[in-house]
């Protein structure tokens, strides 16, 4: 299975295993469940971009320096770093569904607090609490969706979380534009988040717990009931036997993460998630109005309006990603996506060095963000939600998400400062984008050498792959 430090990137299919088709009622049921669970992704996207629209007004109201602008954005991400640390315990003890409910509570108090903030420090505190909600939701929601999804639909259904994220981004842009007026406008941008939070709370009261979590708690009857409603009774019996077989081979202890085979999977997840944050495209999304304003497009509502093509494109590419994920391999799509992102950053760097017209700045931003949402954005979550064994999945996701948000915090905090330094030193921010291009190239190389192909496999079959590697080390 391995040659030196390089993973052989194919997991063998089980030729004797044929899945019965998912009944129509089961498909509708799983779609409804995924729709509710993905509202957490919506709130992540909304929060990610509503701060971008509010930032020029916050800067004027609170007289923010470059460092404080970074802090206004990154305070939520700092909260998200702590989310997985608590989430690891909550998803194990309380379950995936109750952890999402706890996330909704943090979203609600953040919504109220940020809308009523009187200064940048209390604003940052309430943003921090919202970040805790993000960390809890974005850890528990992908696990939950993956654990309920039939194998052939898992990649597509986990990507619903990404689509919901992008819809949240687009509605945040519209909300920012509607409320882009002096005075209390930016407060209404944050207050608008109360609507999806209320929908999330209501939806979570209606959906079931993860059957794999229930099985791990010896609640076999309840787990089988959930699986039967999705897959039908015959297929559910087969799936439950696989789940029980795997659970007998696992202890669920934290030390299991560091056994040879699983340790490799953990390393892959950590690196992929770090790359998903430090590649530069998230900074384009978070700071889009500010980037366009600095390139010569006027601030405020005009800069927000000019950034709309970017957000509309990522909505379109996220929808297109459903078909691509079903048709192409995980690895091939991932590598292609990252290489196109590198191209976007190279064009942006040349654009800034050559001082091309301000509106041309949109071209590399469109290339970078479109490529990101076609591949790396959805596939990073798909991959980490499916490559870990059942009993330690939440622990592995906690570690992975900690590094994800730590990388996101560092990038969001220092991006304005690094950009300002390059402009002051070289009279251009081009150097920032050359760095991002190099990071994307490194991500493509890593994906080619290390990431295994998991398309169409059951979670139990993927777990078996890592246990086989462990036995052969």
């Amino acid at each position: 299975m391995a040659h030196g430090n390089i993973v052989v990137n194919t997991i063998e299919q089980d030729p004797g295993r044929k899945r019965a088709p998912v009944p129509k009622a089961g498909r509708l049921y799983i779609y409804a469940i995924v729709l509710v669970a993905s509202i957490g992704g919506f709130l992540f996207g909304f929060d990610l971009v509503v701060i971008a629209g509010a930032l020029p007004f916050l800067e004027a109201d609170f007289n923010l320096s470059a460092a404080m602008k970074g802090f206004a954005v990154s305070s939520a991400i700092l909260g998200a770093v702590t989310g997985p640390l608590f989430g690891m315990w909550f998803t194990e003890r309380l379950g995936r569904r109750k952890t999402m409910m706890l996330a909704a509570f943090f979203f609600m108090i953040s919504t109220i607090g940020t809308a009523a903030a009187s200064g940048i420090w209390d604003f940052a505190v309430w943003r921090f609490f919202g970040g805790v909600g993000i960390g809890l939701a974005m850890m528990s929601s992908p696990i939950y969706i993956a654990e309920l999804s039939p194998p052939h639909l898992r990649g597509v259904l986990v990507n619903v979380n990404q689509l919901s994220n992008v819809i949240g981004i687009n509605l945040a842009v519209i909300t920012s534009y509607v409320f882009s007026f002096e005075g209390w406008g930016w407060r209404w941008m944050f207050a608008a988040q109360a609507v999806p939070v209320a929908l999330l709370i209501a939806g979570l009261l209606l959906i079931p717990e993860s059957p794999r979590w229930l099985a791990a708690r010896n609640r076999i009857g309840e787990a089988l009931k959930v699986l039967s409603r999705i897959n039908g009774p015959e297929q559910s019996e087969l799936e439950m036997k696989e789940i029980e077989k795997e659970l007998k081979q696992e202890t669920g202890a934290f030390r299991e993460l560091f056994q040879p085979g699983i340790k490799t999977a953990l390393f892959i997840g950590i690196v992929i998630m770090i790359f998903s944050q430090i590649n530069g495209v998230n900074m384009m999304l978070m700071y889009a109005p500010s980037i366009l304003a600095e390139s010569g497009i006027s601030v405020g509502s005009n800069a927000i309006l000019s950034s709309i093509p970017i957000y509309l494109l990522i909505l379109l590419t996220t929808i297109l990603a459903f078909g691509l994920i079903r048709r192409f391999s995980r690895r091939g799509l991932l590598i292609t996506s990252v290489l196109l992102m590198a191209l976007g950053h190279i064009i942006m760097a040349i654009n800034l060095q050559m001082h091309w017209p301000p509106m041309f700045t949109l071209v590399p931003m469109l290339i970078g963000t479109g490529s990101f949402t076609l591949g790396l954005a959805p596939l990073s979550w798909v991959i980490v939600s499916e490559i870990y064994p059942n009993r330690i999945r939440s622990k592995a996701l906690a570690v992975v998400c900690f590094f994800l948000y730590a990388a996101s915090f560092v990038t969001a905090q220092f991006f304005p400062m690094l950009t300002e330094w390059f402009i002051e030193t070289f009279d251009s921010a081009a150097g920032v984008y050359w760095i991002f291009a190099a990071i994307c190239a490194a991500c493509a190389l890593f994906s080619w050498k290390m990431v295994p192909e998991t398309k169409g496999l059951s979670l139990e079959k993927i777990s078996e792959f890592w246990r086989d590697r462990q036995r052969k080390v």
Side-chain angles (χ1 to χ4, degrees), residues 233-420:
E234 183 179 343
Q235 184 62 44
S236 298
E237 290 284 354
L238 293 173
E239 195 162 346
M240 182 55 68
K241 287 179 182 178
E242 283 190 353
I243 293 171
E244 290 181 296
K245 178 183 176 182
E246 182 186 345
L247 290 173
K248 289 176 183 177
Q249 298 180 48
E250 302 171 5
T251 64
F254 197 85
R255 65 177 179 275
E256 213 173 310
L257 289 175
F258 303 101
Q259 293 175 351
I262 307 303
K263 181 171 63 176
T264 302
L266 183 67
F267 173 70
I268 290 170
I270 289 171
V271 175
I272 284 292
M273 282 310 213
I274 290 175
F275 274 133
S276 77
Q277 297 304 305
I278 66 173
N279 60 74
V281 173
N282 275 347
M283 297 305 99
M284 288 181 175
L285 296 175
M286 288 183 187
Y287 292 100
S290 297
I291 292 171
L292 292 171
E294 288 166 2
S295 70
I297 299 170
S298 56
V299 299
S301 59
N302 287 334
I304 294 171
L305 189 63
S306 298
S307 66
I308 285 177
I310 297 169
Y311 301 119
L312 289 177
L313 177 69
I314 65 172
L315 176 60
L316 174 63
T317 51
T318 301
I319 294 171
L320 290 174
F322 282 93
L324 295 178
I325 289 172
R326 293 197 69 169
R327 183 172 180 181
F328 297 106
S329 69
R330 305 267 201 264
R331 291 180 65 247
L333 186 56
L334 179 64
I335 293 168
T336 302
S337 163
V338 175
L339 290 175
L340 288 172
M341 288 161 56
L343 176 63
H345 289 314
I346 291 170
I347 295 173
M348 175 68 95
I350 296 171
N351 164 50
L352 294 174
Q353 287 175 335
M354 302 300 292
H355 302 288
W356 288 337
M359 285 304 295
F360 186 82
T361 303
L362 276 172
V363 174
M365 292 179 77
L366 290 170
I367 293 172
T369 53
S371 303
F372 178 62
T373 48
L374 277 174
L376 180 58
L379 288 175
S380 57
W381 286 105
V382 170
I383 289 167
V384 301
S385 69
E386 67 186 8
I387 63 173
Y388 303 113
N390 285 326
R391 283 194 187 275
I392 60 169
R393 186 170 293 118
S394 61
K395 293 182 177 67
L397 260 289
V399 174
V400 166
C401 287
F402 173 82
F403 282 94
L404 160 76
Y405 293 119
S408 183
F409 171 76
V410 170
T411 310
Q413 177 64 49
F414 290 102
F415 177 74
M417 301 165 66
L418 186 63
T419 301
E420 186 176 69

Side-chain angles (χ1 to χ4, degrees), residues 20 31 45 62 90 92-93 105 176 234 260 277 300 302 331 352 365 375 378 392 410 425 459:
Y31 294 159
F62 298 144
F90 288 127
E92 283 289 316
R93 299 291 181 177
F105 168 76
S176 298
E234 183 179 343
Q277 297 304 305
N302 287 334
R331 291 180 65 247
L352 294 174
M365 292 179 77
I392 60 169
V410 170
T425 307
L459 296 177

